Amino acid sequence: MGAYAGKKAVVTGGTHGIGLATVKRLLDGGAEVLLTGRNEDNVAAARAELAGRAAHVLRSDAADMADIDALGAAVAERLGAVDFVFVNVGYAEMRPLAEVTEEAYDRMFAIKAKGAFFTTRRLLPMVNRGGSFVFTTAVLDGFGFAGTSAATGAVAAVRGFASAFAAEFLPLGIRVNVLSPGFTQTPTMGIVFGSEAEREANQKAGEELTPMSRHADPEEMAAAALFLGFEATFSTGIVLNAHGGLATVAG
Ligand SMILES: NC(=O)c1ccc[n+]([C@@H]2O[C@H](COP(=O)([O-])OP(=O)(O)OC[C@H]3O[C@@H](n4cnc5c(N)ncnc54)[C@H](OP(=O)(O)O)[C@@H]3O)[C@@H](O)[C@H]2O)c1
């Protein structure tokens, strides 16, 4: 029997990268999973890739309160009670302070911070005692990089929410933890790049700045998320730094 047989999970931002790797591990382990994404093409690709498996793929924009409400209704209808919620939606525009417009700031916080907050509020009543939430932040959540202030603020907000939720959900028997990824080799690298040159610079920076001298594989992040979600049963309110040593050891 698989490690997650009989378990039900929601993965927001599950259509590619770290989210999709986590979805596949859950499915391989016997779980039933509802996953979301916003981009229609990516939703369709995930639906095709996961066809025939115990997966429900829903287009849902984390920045849209009506979509969050519809997500809650879909979870209630298709899964009922839930054991694991991975709040993994990512959106990051990296710009120096002088180039961050009000619109860009609002977009960043609406998707990453407000989305995580209200997704949690909507799904909490469906999470079983003994279940857990994991929130994805980023190495930025506790470490300053120039040219990332809006993204840093948004992931730090999520880290803060998770800390308070962990305390608030204690009486419900629901754990809350944070996965903080470092540079990870996903299709987007977690960033909305303005050009191919920016993408290449980010690739190089990841290799140079990370003491392990490489980007993580999304599988490594999925393993960390599921460790927090299911195995770390005496941990709540923690941040698992999966940074390849970045910000923790000298390279
Ligand atoms: N890759 C890295 O190096 C890295 C580093 C640090 C932290 N992270 C974090 O790790 C998580 C996963 O990163 P990733 O690189 O695998 O992918 P990502 O490009 O950050 O996207 C993750 C997921 O979020 C979804 N998404 C984006 N905007 C959305 C919205 N408004 N509503 C709903 N879904 C939305 C994407 O779906 P669509 O494409 O369909 O919109 C995708 O499924 C993110 O939270 C990211 O910030 C990544």
Side-chain angles (χ1 to χ4, degrees), residues 68-240:
I68 290 175
D69 195 45
L71 166 63
V75 170
E77 185 194 331
R78 299 189 196 173
L79 301 182
V82 171
D83 303 290
F84 174 54
V85 181
F86 187 27
V87 183
N88 178 63
V89 165
Y91 187 86
E93 295 178 49
M94 305 303 195
R95 294 280 170 258
L97 176 59
E99 293 175 22
V100 180
T101 61
E102 183 181 3
E103 291 73 24
Y105 176 96
D106 285 346
R107 192 161 51 241
M108 189 70 242
F109 275 77
I111 297 172
K112 190 72 196 176
K114 184 179 170 191
F117 189 93
F118 286 101
T119 297
T120 304
R121 194 182 77 162
R122 183 66 178 91
L123 298 185
L124 178 63
M126 288 172 265
V127 179
N128 287 322
R129 178 168 277 276
S132 80
F133 283 83
V134 172
F135 293 85
T136 313
T137 60
V139 59
L140 307 173
D141 68 8
F143 191 68
F145 289 89
T148 71
S149 52
T152 294
V155 291
V158 174
R159 182 172 169 157
F161 298 155
S163 182
F165 291 156
E168 195 165 327
F169 303 171
L170 273 175
L172 305 174
I174 296 169
R175 294 178 302 106
V176 180
N177 293 300
V178 170
L179 171 65
S180 175
F183 289 87
T184 305
Q185 201 71 56
T186 63
T188 62
M189 297 194 213
I191 295 172
V192 180
F193 293 111
S195 67
E196 192 49 38
E198 279 184 17
R199 164 182 283 278
E200 282 166 18
N202 185 75
Q203 178 75 32
K204 195 158 168 269
E207 282 151 21
E208 287 174 0
L209 291 173
T210 305
M212 289 187 182
S213 301
R214 66 176 177 87
H215 285 235
D217 188 287
E219 288 295 330
E220 295 175 285
M221 294 301 154
L226 292 172
F227 169 74
L228 289 172
F230 290 95
E231 291 173 72
T233 50
F234 202 52
S235 295
T236 194
I238 70 161
V239 179
L240 196 165

Side-chain angles (χ1 to χ4, degrees), residues 21-37:
T22 307
V23 166
K24 288 179 180 169
R25 277 189 178 231
L26 284 162
L27 294 171
D28 290 347
E32 184 175 359
V33 187
L34 190 146
L35 59 132
T36 71

Side-chain angles (χ1 to χ4, degrees), residues 13 15-16 18 38-39 42 60-62 88 90 112 182 184 186 188 190:
T15 50
H16 49 82
I18 293 168
R38 178 191 49 176
N39 178 285
N42 295 338
S60 178
D61 185 346
N88 178 63
K112 190 72 196 176
T184 305
T186 63
T188 62

